[in-house]
Amino acid sequence: MSDVVTIDLVDPTPPFEQVRRQLTLLIETGQLVTGERLPSVRQLAGDLGLATGTVARAYRELESAGLVVTRRGGGTRVADRPTSASAAATSLLEDAAHEYLARAKVLGAGPDRAIQVVEIVSRRH
């Protein structure tokens, strides 16, 4: 899993949120399927060089969102949940927008400037 989930040390987004977003993307795009077991908190934390509490928080948030279920002795698995394609797409777009704005902020650009750049680039396509 650590070859798929990575931590970007330059990204101002907290590591737990980076883990949560990446796992959300993998689940919502079907790369992780219903019933698939995620690595243990300890294993993923070790693989990524993070504290176990960091990964545990990401897993708790995924569970709160209904994306995974954790059972004692059964580990954490991708939840079986009905979701519409548009809701999943909206969630992914929101995550991408949040990441973009965070990176723009690191570069010294505010939200207005970041939106201007998206508009400029979109006109080219």
Side-chain angles (χ1 to χ4, degrees):
M1 178 77 51
S2 63
D3 55 332
V4 179
V5 175
T6 59
I7 299 301
D8 182 352
L9 299 175
V10 177
D11 188 341
T13 305
F16 83 88
E17 180 63 14
Q18 290 184 47
V19 172
R20 186 205 62 80
R21 280 192 196 148
Q22 290 174 59
L23 289 174
T24 297
L25 178 66
L26 292 170
I27 293 167
E28 290 185 344
T29 60
Q31 294 175 61
L32 290 175
V33 297
T34 298
E36 190 167 345
R37 190 171 182 169
L38 274 58
S40 70
V41 167
R42 183 169 288 148
Q43 179 183 343
L44 187 57
D47 290 348
L48 296 174
L50 298 172
T52 56
T54 300
V55 174
R57 181 172 177 187
Y59 278 22
R60 280 192 309 272
E61 295 206 6
L62 290 168
E63 191 162 19
S64 292
L67 295 172
V68 300
V69 291
T70 303
R71 291 198 171 78
R72 186 177 178 139
T76 301
R77 297 183 182 272
V78 176
D80 179 20
R81 64 181 193 84
T83 182
S84 69
S86 64
T90 298
S91 176
L92 294 173
L93 283 171
E94 287 174 356
D95 283 349
H98 182 74
E99 289 176 26
Y100 172 67
L101 290 172
R103 287 194 180 264
K105 183 177 180 180
V106 167
L107 296 171
D112 292 337
R113 178 65 181 142
I115 292 168
Q116 276 181 328
V117 171
V118 168
E119 290 171 346
I120 291 167
V121 171
S122 70
R123 282 187 229 122
R124 294 181 190 156
H125 289 279

